[in-house]
Amino acid sequence: MMDWLAKLATIIGPVVAFFVGCFAFGVYFKQKRDDKRAAANMILLEIRHIEKSVKEVKNALKNDNLNTVEDDIIREDVWSKYSHIFSKDFDNDEWEAVSNFFQNAKLLNAAVKKSRDSYNEDVAQIRINKQKHIAELAHEAIAKPSKDAPTIFQNKAEAFNKLYESVQEKYLYTPSKYTDDARRYCDDLNTISTTAVGIKLKKISKNKS
């Protein structure tokens, strides 16, 4: 009886190991496939976000006001993070198209951010200048006290503030380089979500939209 059980174990053991191995391989393969689908979907969503943002930048450039663009052009460089997964899915031209797309998006994002930072620095300096002058008016009122001093101070402060605000936008300085760079990067950012690249990503991610 023991010999029979031993023989049965020698037969069943490899069979069980085989099925366990097949199951483990199946789980691994499914996980890899799901990870690839998720990565493809993230890349596709980011491409669409960038394309939408580029349209907003172009509209802002038409109005000569790049600083109205508040959102990031690129939220995350998912292509650099996940591109290795798709080494066998794109040909050289497609690979270069996606790589250039994300690179130009990063450059555009940097140009818009630098322009916005420069604008915000000017606005902050304007506030400092305004508060400094009003403080000087207050010091003048205190140096020459009279019953009319508070009224005189208030009238001068309001007049200065009204005049200053009416011209401050005119004299804000934003380096033209950032605007010129943004225009160039926008020209280089062609729509790719509707090309073979986008079609492949949709197919891999099972994204039907």
Side-chain angles (χ1 to χ4, degrees), residues 20 56 62 68 90 109 122 137 202:
V20 169
E56 294 176 1
K62 285 180 182 178
T68 58
F90 299 117
N109 191 68
D122 269 11
L137 291 176
K202 286 175 66 175

Side-chain angles (χ1 to χ4, degrees), residues 6-20:
K7 289 180 180 180
L8 182 63
T10 59
I11 296 172
I12 293 177
V15 174
V16 171
F18 172 77
F19 282 108
V20 169

Side-chain angles (χ1 to χ4, degrees), residues 21-133:
C22 289
F23 177 77
F25 179 78
V27 171
Y28 172 79
F29 179 80
K30 182 179 182 302
Q31 184 63 50
K32 294 288 286 185
R33 183 190 61 191
D34 291 345
D35 289 346
K36 188 172 184 177
R37 283 180 179 175
N41 192 54
M42 285 188 284
I43 292 171
L44 184 60
L45 290 175
E46 191 62 22
I47 286 173
R48 287 172 173 169
H49 168 77
I50 292 169
E51 290 173 347
K52 179 181 177 183
S53 298
V54 169
K55 290 180 181 178
E56 294 176 1
V57 173
K58 287 181 176 179
N59 288 333
L61 289 170
K62 285 180 182 178
N63 298 321
D64 292 322
N65 197 352
L66 187 61
N67 303 309
T68 58
V69 180
E70 297 180 354
D71 296 332
D72 289 334
I73 310 303
I74 180 171
R75 298 168 297 189
E76 182 183 2
D77 189 0
V78 289
W79 178 245
S80 293
K81 189 174 182 180
Y82 298 112
S83 59
H84 63 280
I85 300 176
F86 306 94
S87 58
K88 296 180 180 179
D89 297 286
F90 299 117
D91 62 30
N92 290 337
D93 291 337
E94 292 165 345
W95 187 277
E96 185 177 359
V98 184
S99 298
N100 289 340
F101 181 85
F102 275 90
Q103 178 61 23
N104 286 322
K106 287 189 285 186
L107 292 171
L108 176 60
N109 191 68
V112 172
K113 186 177 185 302
K114 287 177 181 177
S115 177
R116 190 167 58 233
D117 289 347
S118 177
Y119 173 84
N120 290 337
E121 287 173 6
D122 269 11
V123 171
Q125 188 60 50
I126 284 172
R127 287 197 298 267
I128 292 171
N129 293 343
K130 184 170 14 179
Q131 294 302 320
K132 181 180 178 181
H133 186 73

Side-chain angles (χ1 to χ4, degrees), residues 54 57-58 61 66 107-108 111-112 115 176-189:
V54 169
V57 173
K58 287 181 176 179
L61 289 170
L66 187 61
L107 292 171
L108 176 60
V112 172
S115 177
S176 60
K177 179 182 184 305
Y178 304 143
T179 301
D180 294 340
D181 287 347
R183 284 197 174 93
R184 186 169 70 256
Y185 299 138
C186 279
D187 290 340
D188 292 336
L189 275 162

